[in-house]
């Protein structure tokens, strides 16, 4: 292939001669690979039965009469993929037909009609609407999650955190109560307890 590119000044068949599987392409002004179903120098030969396709690399599993050198075995009605038709599924759906066996009809201009999927603008609209619906659903789910978190857990954490906070609060209340009782007892014992007179102060 390097030799093909290295001869840019040679024209036509002269450029590609001696290189099997290539032919001069006037559109790109270079040697290109043979089309499906052809092989040999300057792609002058058709694939021989049972071979067909690109570089004759595929093999027919039908009789020679039904094997096309480019497309392979003849197909039955309904065998072709969407967008193509014909005895060998070799033809593209003609406007306004599209889809499986070209049975559907485009309701748009020809330049906007894809033979496989139909109107391009309709497909873009469906894709955009689907994206919008998905985004709206995701936003709704996120708001619901935040709302549940706020109601069940408080704005600052999970149920685990809430349990820990309640436990700490109760322990603080108990300790505070005990400390208060101790302080009250101390004050009472220190200042409010009645004193017993000494024996020397008792009347005789």
């Amino acid at each position: 292939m390097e030799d093909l590119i290295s001869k840019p000044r040679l024209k036509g068949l002269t450029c590609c001669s001696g290189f099997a599987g290539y032919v001069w392409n006037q559109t790109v002004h270079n040697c290109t690979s043979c089309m499906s179903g052809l092989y040999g120098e300057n792609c002058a030969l058709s694939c021989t039965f049972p071979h067909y396709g690109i570089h004759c690399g595929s093999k027919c599993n039908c009789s020679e009469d039904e094997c096309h050198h480019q497309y392979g075995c003849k197909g039955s009605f309904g065998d072709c993929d969407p967008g193509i038709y014909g005895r060998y599924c070799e033809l593209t759906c003609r406007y306004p037909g599209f889809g499986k066996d070209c049975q559907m009809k485009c309701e748009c201009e020809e330049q906007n009609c894809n033979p496989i999927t139909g109107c391009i603008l309709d497909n873009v609209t469906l894709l955009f609407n689907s994206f919008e619906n998905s985004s709206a659903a995701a936003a709704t789910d996120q708001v619901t999650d935040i709302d549940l978190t706020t109601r069940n857990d408080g704005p600052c954490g999970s149920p685990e955190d809430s349990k820990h906070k309640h436990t700490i609060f109760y322990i603080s209340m108990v300790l505070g109560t005990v400390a208060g009782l101790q302080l009250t007892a101390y004050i009472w014992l220190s200042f409010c307890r009645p004193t017993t007179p000494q024996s020397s102060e008792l009347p005789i």
Side-chain angles (χ1 to χ4, degrees):
M1 187 62 187
E2 292 179 359
D3 292 336
L4 297 181
I5 300 173
S6 65
K7 299 179 179 180
R9 296 184 180 180
L10 298 180
K11 301 292 183 180
L13 298 177
T14 305
C15 171
C16 305
S17 62
F19 297 96
Y22 292 90
V23 67
W24 176 256
N25 186 319
Q26 186 63 37
T27 302
V28 298
H29 299 285
N30 208 338
C31 294
T32 56
S33 297
C34 295
M35 293 177 60
S36 176
L38 302 175
Y39 76 102
E41 187 172 333
N42 295 314
C43 303
L45 303 174
S46 297
C47 297
T48 56
F49 178 80
H51 303 286
Y52 75 96
I54 297 175
H55 303 308
C56 304
S58 300
K59 192 173 182 179
C60 287
N61 57 357
C62 54
S63 66
E64 185 172 1
D65 292 338
E66 295 184 338
C67 180
H68 192 278
H69 70 281
Q70 185 174 2
Y71 305 112
C73 295
K74 290 180 181 178
S76 301
F77 183 79
D79 285 349
C80 298
D81 292 331
I84 54 177
Y85 72 102
R87 300 186 69 181
Y88 298 97
C89 302
E90 77 279 17
L91 303 173
T92 301
C93 291
R94 292 176 292 184
Y95 176 80
F98 77 93
K100 187 69 174 175
D101 299 318
C102 309
Q103 295 297 303
M104 303 180 75
K105 185 178 180 180
C106 282
E107 299 293 342
C108 56
E109 298 295 331
E110 183 173 358
Q111 62 268 24
N112 294 325
C113 180
N114 183 290
I116 300 175
T117 59
C119 293
I120 297 173
L121 295 179
D122 291 346
N123 295 330
V124 172
T125 301
L126 288 173
L127 182 62
F128 180 75
N129 290 338
S130 175
F131 175 76
E132 277 194 328
N133 293 336
S134 299
S135 299
T140 301
D141 292 342
Q142 187 174 10
V143 170
T144 302
D145 290 342
I146 293 173
D147 182 54
L148 289 174
T149 302
T150 304
R151 286 184 313 193
N152 296 334
D153 309 335
C156 299
S158 63
E160 281 288 321
D161 296 336
S162 182
K163 289 179 181 178
H164 289 307
K165 289 177 180 179
H166 288 158
T167 303
I168 293 172
F169 174 76
Y170 292 135
I171 292 174
S172 300
M173 287 290 292
V174 172
L175 292 177
T177 302
V178 172
L181 290 174
Q182 288 178 338
L183 181 60
T184 302
Y186 173 76
I187 293 172
W188 185 82
L189 291 174
S190 299
F191 302 102
C192 301
R193 186 180 63 176
T195 57
T196 303
Q198 299 293 329
S199 56
S200 61
E201 297 178 356
L202 291 175
I204 299 177

